[in-house]
Amino acid sequence: MADIHQIGRGGKREGAGRPKGAGNLTPKPVREMALMHTEAVLTALLEIVQDKDAPPSARVAAGREILDRADGKPAQRIEQIVTDNSGDKFNDIAEQLRREFEEQGNEYK
């Protein structure tokens, strides 16, 4: 018989994830070095956008990076379908009470 292992259980696990209040994981010297090259990187991206011989996908990607830095990334649309079965439980209980009421000789209107 094959040994079956359950992979993941779903839901939030106690103690999982990054602790609240934890600082940025990028060390400060790395952030400072990256900030020193911001202008050069933006200039290179702009050159790619303006280069008529660059592949269209590269021009679009460079333009997207520039816009993301300037305006922030656009909000992501999230759709969710919510099913509420609480009404079913209520209806089941109401039906049971109605039957019991009628079994006692009462009339349900």
Side-chain angles (χ1 to χ4, degrees):
M1 180 172 196
D3 185 25
I4 300 173
H5 297 283
Q6 185 176 7
I7 300 175
R9 297 184 185 164
K12 184 177 178 179
R13 293 183 325 271
E14 184 131 355
R18 216 166 132 189
K20 289 185 179 183
N24 191 329
L25 297 178
T26 306
K28 191 173 182 179
V30 174
R31 282 195 314 274
E32 289 173 353
M33 188 184 318
L35 288 174
M36 290 179 3
H37 298 287
T38 301
E39 187 175 340
V41 171
L42 284 174
T43 300
L45 288 170
L46 187 57
E47 288 174 5
I48 294 169
V49 168
Q50 294 172 340
D51 182 359
K52 303 291 183 202
D53 296 326
S57 59
R59 295 177 68 194
V60 168
R64 184 177 297 126
E65 290 299 319
I66 291 170
L67 292 175
D68 286 350
R69 295 320 178 265
D71 294 332
K73 292 188 178 188
Q76 182 179 10
R77 181 178 173 175
I78 299 174
E79 291 186 27
Q80 183 176 11
I81 297 173
V82 179
T83 304
D84 181 6
N85 294 329
S86 62
D88 293 343
K89 292 178 185 175
F90 175 80
N91 290 336
D92 292 344
I93 293 170
E95 180 63 26
Q96 180 183 355
L97 290 173
R98 185 189 62 76
R99 272 187 262 125
E100 290 176 8
F101 186 73
E102 288 177 346
E103 286 172 3
Q104 295 173 0
N106 300 307
E107 186 177 326
Y108 179 78
K109 293 183 183 181

PDB file of all heavy atoms in Angstrom, residues 56-70:
ATOM      1  N   PRO A  56       9.277  45.275 -29.361  1.00  0.00           N
ATOM      2  CA  PRO A  56       8.112  45.908 -28.728  1.00  0.00           C
ATOM      3  C   PRO A  56       7.882  45.427 -27.290  1.00  0.00           C
ATOM      4  O   PRO A  56       7.512  46.223 -26.428  1.00  0.00           O
ATOM      5  CB  PRO A  56       6.945  45.504 -29.637  1.00  0.00           C
ATOM      6  CG  PRO A  56       7.574  45.257 -30.971  1.00  0.00           C
ATOM      7  CD  PRO A  56       8.934  44.708 -30.667  1.00  0.00           C
ATOM      8  N   SER A  57       8.117  44.146 -27.038  1.00  0.00           N
ATOM      9  CA  SER A  57       7.899  43.634 -25.677  1.00  0.00           C
ATOM     10  C   SER A  57       8.851  44.295 -24.675  1.00  0.00           C
ATOM     11  O   SER A  57       8.464  44.579 -23.542  1.00  0.00           O
ATOM     12  CB  SER A  57       8.067  42.117 -25.636  1.00  0.00           C
ATOM     13  OG  SER A  57       9.371  41.748 -26.056  1.00  0.00           O
ATOM     14  N   ALA A  58      10.085  44.565 -25.098  1.00  0.00           N
ATOM     15  CA  ALA A  58      11.052  45.231 -24.220  1.00  0.00           C
ATOM     16  C   ALA A  58      10.649  46.678 -23.976  1.00  0.00           C
ATOM     17  O   ALA A  58      10.770  47.189 -22.854  1.00  0.00           O
ATOM     18  CB  ALA A  58      12.448  45.165 -24.830  1.00  0.00           C
ATOM     19  N   ARG A  59      10.151  47.327 -25.029  1.00  0.00           N
ATOM     20  CA  ARG A  59       9.720  48.722 -24.878  1.00  0.00           C
ATOM     21  C   ARG A  59       8.525  48.825 -23.933  1.00  0.00           C
ATOM     22  O   ARG A  59       8.469  49.705 -23.082  1.00  0.00           O
ATOM     23  CB  ARG A  59       9.382  49.314 -26.241  1.00  0.00           C
ATOM     24  CG  ARG A  59      10.615  49.400 -27.150  1.00  0.00           C
ATOM     25  CD  ARG A  59      10.290  49.917 -28.510  1.00  0.00           C
ATOM     26  NE  ARG A  59       9.903  51.318 -28.413  1.00  0.00           N
ATOM     27  CZ  ARG A  59       9.295  51.991 -29.385  1.00  0.00           C
ATOM     28  NH1 ARG A  59       9.002  51.403 -30.518  1.00  0.00           N
ATOM     29  NH2 ARG A  59       8.977  53.252 -29.224  1.00  0.00           N
ATOM     30  N   VAL A  60       7.586  47.898 -24.086  1.00  0.00           N
ATOM     31  CA  VAL A  60       6.414  47.894 -23.204  1.00  0.00           C
ATOM     32  C   VAL A  60       6.833  47.597 -21.763  1.00  0.00           C
ATOM     33  O   VAL A  60       6.380  48.262 -20.819  1.00  0.00           O
ATOM     34  CB  VAL A  60       5.364  46.857 -23.696  1.00  0.00           C
ATOM     35  CG1 VAL A  60       4.284  46.634 -22.654  1.00  0.00           C
ATOM     36  CG2 VAL A  60       4.756  47.319 -25.004  1.00  0.00           C
ATOM     37  N   ALA A  61       7.698  46.613 -21.573  1.00  0.00           N
ATOM     38  CA  ALA A  61       8.140  46.255 -20.223  1.00  0.00           C
ATOM     39  C   ALA A  61       8.869  47.426 -19.560  1.00  0.00           C
ATOM     40  O   ALA A  61       8.638  47.725 -18.379  1.00  0.00           O
ATOM     41  CB  ALA A  61       9.043  45.021 -20.266  1.00  0.00           C
ATOM     42  N   ALA A  62       9.730  48.102 -20.311  1.00  0.00           N
ATOM     43  CA  ALA A  62      10.457  49.254 -19.762  1.00  0.00           C
ATOM     44  C   ALA A  62       9.486  50.375 -19.419  1.00  0.00           C
ATOM     45  O   ALA A  62       9.599  51.015 -18.360  1.00  0.00           O
ATOM     46  CB  ALA A  62      11.512  49.729 -20.758  1.00  0.00           C
ATOM     47  N   GLY A  63       8.531  50.624 -20.301  1.00  0.00           N
ATOM     48  CA  GLY A  63       7.534  51.668 -20.032  1.00  0.00           C
ATOM     49  C   GLY A  63       6.709  51.345 -18.793  1.00  0.00           C
ATOM     50  O   GLY A  63       6.409  52.231 -17.985  1.00  0.00           O
ATOM     51  N   ARG A  64       6.345  50.074 -18.649  1.00  0.00           N
ATOM     52  CA  ARG A  64       5.560  49.657 -17.480  1.00  0.00           C
ATOM     53  C   ARG A  64       6.370  49.886 -16.191  1.00  0.00           C
ATOM     54  O   ARG A  64       5.835  50.356 -15.188  1.00  0.00           O
ATOM     55  CB  ARG A  64       5.171  48.189 -17.614  1.00  0.00           C
ATOM     56  CG  ARG A  64       4.274  47.716 -16.492  1.00  0.00           C
ATOM     57  CD  ARG A  64       3.832  46.281 -16.656  1.00  0.00           C
ATOM     58  NE  ARG A  64       3.034  46.114 -17.859  1.00  0.00           N
ATOM     59  CZ  ARG A  64       3.280  45.230 -18.825  1.00  0.00           C
ATOM     60  NH1 ARG A  64       4.322  44.431 -18.731  1.00  0.00           N
ATOM     61  NH2 ARG A  64       2.512  45.145 -19.880  1.00  0.00           N
ATOM     62  N   GLU A  65       7.640  49.561 -16.229  1.00  0.00           N
ATOM     63  CA  GLU A  65       8.494  49.768 -15.046  1.00  0.00           C
ATOM     64  C   GLU A  65       8.574  51.248 -14.673  1.00  0.00           C
ATOM     65  O   GLU A  65       8.507  51.610 -13.505  1.00  0.00           O
ATOM     66  CB  GLU A  65       9.899  49.216 -15.293  1.00  0.00           C
ATOM     67  CG  GLU A  65       9.963  47.708 -15.362  1.00  0.00           C
ATOM     68  CD  GLU A  65       9.516  47.046 -14.070  1.00  0.00           C
ATOM     69  OE1 GLU A  65       9.869  47.532 -12.975  1.00  0.00           O
ATOM     70  OE2 GLU A  65       8.802  46.038 -14.150  1.00  0.00           O
ATOM     71  N   ILE A  66       8.704  52.092 -15.678  1.00  0.00           N
ATOM     72  CA  ILE A  66       8.767  53.539 -15.409  1.00  0.00           C
ATOM     73  C   ILE A  66       7.461  54.015 -14.782  1.00  0.00           C
ATOM     74  O   ILE A  66       7.455  54.736 -13.781  1.00  0.00           O
ATOM     75  CB  ILE A  66       9.075  54.326 -16.710  1.00  0.00           C
ATOM     76  CG1 ILE A  66      10.504  54.039 -17.172  1.00  0.00           C
ATOM     77  CG2 ILE A  66       8.870  55.821 -16.492  1.00  0.00           C
ATOM     78  CD1 ILE A  66      10.826  54.578 -18.556  1.00  0.00           C
ATOM     79  N   LEU A  67       6.338  53.616 -15.383  1.00  0.00           N
ATOM     80  CA  LEU A  67       5.035  54.042 -14.857  1.00  0.00           C
ATOM     81  C   LEU A  67       4.785  53.501 -13.451  1.00  0.00           C
ATOM     82  O   LEU A  67       4.227  54.192 -12.594  1.00  0.00           O
ATOM     83  CB  LEU A  67       3.911  53.613 -15.800  1.00  0.00           C
ATOM     84  CG  LEU A  67       3.883  54.319 -17.149  1.00  0.00           C
ATOM     85  CD1 LEU A  67       2.810  53.719 -18.036  1.00  0.00           C
ATOM     86  CD2 LEU A  67       3.677  55.810 -16.971  1.00  0.00           C
ATOM     87  N   ASP A  68       5.198  52.246 -13.208  1.00  0.00           N
ATOM     88  CA  ASP A  68       5.023  51.667 -11.871  1.00  0.00           C
ATOM     89  C   ASP A  68       5.795  52.464 -10.828  1.00  0.00           C
ATOM     90  O   ASP A  68       5.344  52.622  -9.692  1.00  0.00           O
ATOM     91  CB  ASP A  68       5.474  50.209 -11.844  1.00  0.00           C
ATOM     92  CG  ASP A  68       4.496  49.276 -12.537  1.00  0.00           C
ATOM     93  OD1 ASP A  68       3.379  49.728 -12.873  1.00  0.00           O
ATOM     94  OD2 ASP A  68       4.855  48.101 -12.744  1.00  0.00           O
ATOM     95  N   ARG A  69       6.953  52.965 -11.202  1.00  0.00           N
ATOM     96  CA  ARG A  69       7.760  53.749 -10.248  1.00  0.00           C
ATOM     97  C   ARG A  69       7.158  55.141 -10.042  1.00  0.00           C
ATOM     98  O   ARG A  69       7.203  55.692  -8.958  1.00  0.00           O
ATOM     99  CB  ARG A  69       9.205  53.903 -10.742  1.00  0.00           C
ATOM    100  CG  ARG A  69      10.044  52.647 -10.858  1.00  0.00           C
ATOM    101  CD  ARG A  69       9.822  51.689  -9.714  1.00  0.00           C
ATOM    102  NE  ARG A  69      10.561  50.458  -9.786  1.00  0.00           N
ATOM    103  CZ  ARG A  69      10.114  49.322 -10.279  1.00  0.00           C
ATOM    104  NH1 ARG A  69       8.938  49.269 -10.864  1.00  0.00           N
ATOM    105  NH2 ARG A  69      10.826  48.228 -10.222  1.00  0.00           N
ATOM    106  N   ALA A  70       6.571  55.683 -11.109  1.00  0.00           N
ATOM    107  CA  ALA A  70       6.028  57.044 -11.032  1.00  0.00           C
ATOM    108  C   ALA A  70       4.659  57.081 -10.351  1.00  0.00           C
ATOM    109  O   ALA A  70       4.420  57.894  -9.465  1.00  0.00           O
ATOM    110  CB  ALA A  70       5.932  57.637 -12.433  1.00  0.00           C
TER     111      ALA A  70
END
